Amino acid sequence: MFIKTSRIAVTSLLFALVTSFGVDAATQAPIVYNAIEDFAINADADAPYYHDRRNNALAIDARRVEYRNLFAQASVEYTGQSGRFDIQITTMSEEDGEPIYRLLVNGVVVGTYRGAYIGKGSELDLAPAPHTWRDITLKSGDTISVASVAHTNGEIPEHGGTAWSRGRWQSLTVSPSEAAQRPRAYFSKHSDILVSQFDLKPDADDIHAIAALGSMFAHEDMNNTNFIAVAGTYGEQVGDYINANGLLELAFGKENFNWVDAHHHRDNAITLVRDRVKAVLAQGGKAWVQEAGQSDFTRDWLEALLSAGIHPSVIKNNVIVVQHSDWNESKTNPEALARVKALTHYQPVSDGNKPRRIFDRNNRRGPVTPMYVAEGNKWINAATSEENSFAVPKALWTLADSLIKGTEFDASYSVIPKGGVDFSDHAEIWWIFDQDHRTESVHAFWERYVTDTELDTVKAPQGRLAVVIDGNSPDPDDIGATPVMFALLQQTGLSDRIVHISHSCDLDPFRNKARYQIDPENEARRQKVLHYLSGKSIELFGPFPQLRDYYNCRTHQQEATQDLVDAINNSTSDDPLWIIEAGEPDLIGYALAEANPDVTKYVHVVSHHPANDNSGDFFTWEQILEHGVTEHQIGDQNLGLQGPIHEWDWAKESNNPGMNFIWEMLAYAEQDGIVPFQTNKFDCSDAGMMYWWITGANKGGNNFATAADITDMLTGKYTQQ
């Protein structure tokens, strides 16, 4: 029983209710219910609340052993309009435990939440910690209840045992549902579960995705991660099923514990996933689905959850289905896909098979993810090498490679039959676990989770190089990167490959007003510095026998353009031209427009950042690509090559005047003063494109170089292969 209290605090700001589902519309101010003043404590709950007036919260007296692990509950009558609402509870972070909170409407659980772990001694202890349950249906007169439970994480000794959190909460706010996308949630090891579902039909990429996930689980990063994997979650596609049960057992352990076979035992698989997810939801956690296949199986276990009494609002708020492939969606039964999208928080992410094509950012599926596809046998060889001391990943990739060869998988669309790797489904894992730059590329993933063997060798592709840099506006990073690029060519015996170098390619640096705008005096200064360092770099690291000259695009635009046109026109299938776009695309655009259109198909353009691609004064990135060139988007090189100054101390202390010069130019750029984001950093990020090309380009080149990688190459630790 509960007694309705009289005081309801209502804010004065009016909201227009816009629901995510296009149903029930309402207009009302958010209603704020104070836990102590507006809620009545339910006397028939398993444990009682008390008024914690110091914190203005309802709480459970966990000093009493008999109140631990039992839910207390308090209720209030809802008197607002009918419709769909977002309901925010303001809980309190507690260092000694992570309580479960439940939201009930008319006695039915419609939302669950587990408090975040903050750890012993956290400054967040007893700080307000809001959580929002979204799209909850309410009618005037409904009973809204909040239940919570005391919990201990066992980390704080107290009275011969451990301290317990008290399930404190301060208020509940009912607001019209917002149409805007919900804030990004993050996987929590202490409350959530990963459900990894692999179709294994007909593409062998799932074999590599299983090996990749198993390699991650062998790393300390994934310690104590709750998960279940499922094989055979295919939809309507045709083709042969690949039985990978041996690999699943090696990666995840015993069958029907952390993995299950839906191909042979579908009903059992549905039941096991249902029960695991149901238990997590009951504890206030979330289920994150790696949809490495179709959604038919997901629909089935979601229906099983509903049949088991789990409220649709609990599922909508706590089941996140992550899908990277529109092909997977096209092979899902349309009704099943629609049902999954309606029942869950369905999160599309960018396709892990594709590079980051910046120009279509408005048309991509969702958040940008890495491309986890790479040609060349470098990756499997490194994973299975006798020198690889990562025992579990070594065994996984050895078995995966053997399994695929046994299937005689030979699809022409795949890099796998040619020796490459394709774990594109793992892009979903990258997003779920917020991997960020730790595994930004195949190379970075391999170094972190798969092998400790040396991955980088000097293995440049056929062809010649052209380098077009800006540096004159607004970022001075090219001042440090340019001598590094020349030095890399010298140290790797590739000095005869470069045929063009030009600088100051921001042709109208005052046209587009940027956040950090350079002034004419400093822009002229930059031109002089760039011209000096280009000549000095050629002197220190040369000779470069195929270079005619070096060009200032601002003062000698026509000469620079013609030199690049000649380089393009000399291109053939056996001798292509690789243009490193270390600045705006305009000079490249002018050269392509004047070049022989029959040979532009033999031109490769390498980019690492949209700040270059999208900043042309006279050409868009789409116009560059319309010439039929091959685009290579290798990812932001600032992640590994914009870093602490001390990483370059060796160059300052070197007996080699060329290395001293590199340090001087990096220091000059750091002290340049036009953009604040270079302060206290040395940045040679554009040199990452040169490093990628030298180490194999699109055939296994390292597109996540670090200052340590550059140092090793500049000091002669890599040899020609």
Side-chain angles (χ1 to χ4, degrees), residues 379-391:
W379 311 106
I380 295 296
N381 289 346
T384 60
S385 169
E386 292 183 0
E387 298 176 0
N388 182 11
S389 68
F390 290 12

Side-chain angles (χ1 to χ4, degrees), residues 330-352:
S330 73
K331 300 302 178 184
T332 301
N333 177 283
E335 292 182 1
L337 182 60
R339 184 69 166 152
V340 170
K341 288 183 176 182
L343 284 172
T344 71
H345 174 55
Y346 189 86
Q347 178 63 63
V349 296
S350 292
D351 194 335

Side-chain angles (χ1 to χ4, degrees), residues 162-182:
T162 60
W164 286 65
S165 64
R166 301 193 176 196
R168 292 177 173 92
W169 60 281
Q170 297 175 316
S171 64
L172 204 71
T173 302
V174 180
S175 304
S177 286
E178 298 179 0
Q181 185 177 3
R182 69 178 72 185

Side-chain angles (χ1 to χ4, degrees), residues 596-612:
N596 178 0
D598 294 333
V599 301
T600 54
K601 61 186 175 183
Y602 305 126
V603 174
H604 300 254
V605 181
V606 184
S607 175
H608 86 105
H609 205 284
N612 293 334

Side-chain angles (χ1 to χ4, degrees), residues 306-321:
L306 292 170
S307 297
I310 303 300
H311 195 276
S313 293
V314 174
I315 296 173
K316 189 72 177 179
N317 277 279
N318 293 284
V319 177
I320 303 100
V321 176

Side-chain angles (χ1 to χ4, degrees), residues 512-544:
N512 297 319
K513 299 299 182 183
R515 181 179 180 186
Y516 304 109
Q517 185 68 46
I518 199 168
D519 59 83
E521 181 180 356
N522 278 303
E523 196 270 336
R525 169 184 60 83
R526 290 265 196 90
Q527 290 182 45
K528 292 179 181 179
V529 172
L530 287 160
H531 206 66
Y532 160 73
L533 70 86
S534 296
K536 188 66 174 178
S537 296
I538 292 170
E539 173 189 330
L540 288 169
F541 303 114
F544 298 96

